[in-house]
Amino acid sequence: MSKFSGLAIVLLIAEVGIGFYLGYAELAWEVGQARHLNTSILVDGSGDIVGNYRKAHLPGHHEHEPWRPFQHLEKRYFEPGNQGFGTWQAFGGTMGMALCNDRRWPETYGLITEPK
């Protein structure tokens, strides 16, 4: 099985012309502070990053709660995004992004579709 670096994947995608959406754990340095964010990017068929989005609605709780049958500790590892809900021109249309729990909240769609 071959291993690809991030750069090799982007070059291959640009060669083939495939666009994609990718979520990842972002470590951002802002105003001298480290921020841990649940982030996604939208990449067009030429390999260019068209836009990025930082998850706004983090579900769950901060600490382990043993009485809960399931633990959802996203708030322990990430903080809410600070960019709002944007749109980008890509793939012949207007694209918006949302991650996981964001899709459960009506304001997500209202803000994505709001005229800019």
Side-chain angles (χ1 to χ4, degrees):
M1 185 166 117
S2 63
K3 294 182 180 180
F4 288 100
S5 71
L7 177 59
I9 290 171
V10 169
L11 293 173
L12 176 63
I13 286 165
E15 182 181 320
V16 178
I18 297 172
F20 63 95
Y21 170 96
L22 174 76
Y24 66 99
E26 177 185 12
L27 173 59
W29 288 92
E30 296 177 352
V31 195
Q33 297 268 58
R35 298 191 68 217
H36 297 86
L37 301 144
N38 191 343
T39 301
S40 62
I41 57 172
L42 186 62
V43 179
D44 68 14
S46 66
D48 293 329
I49 296 174
V50 176
N52 75 313
Y53 168 73
R54 293 173 170 172
K55 185 174 179 181
H57 300 99
L58 300 178
H61 38 281
H62 291 276
E63 298 301 326
H64 177 74
E65 297 176 357
W67 63 90
R68 295 182 184 268
F70 299 99
Q71 300 296 315
H72 201 129
L73 297 172
E74 192 164 355
K75 288 180 180 176
R76 182 179 196 166
Y77 300 104
F78 297 108
E79 55 190 284
N82 59 350
Q83 296 175 322
F85 295 92
T87 58
W88 300 268
Q89 296 302 309
F91 311 109
T94 303
M95 306 293 291
M97 289 190 270
L99 282 169
C100 186
N101 197 45
D102 288 329
R103 67 185 164 76
R104 297 175 187 253
W105 302 94
E107 68 265 22
T108 298
Y109 303 102
L111 292 169
I112 287 174
T113 58
E114 186 177 83
K116 307 291 187 255

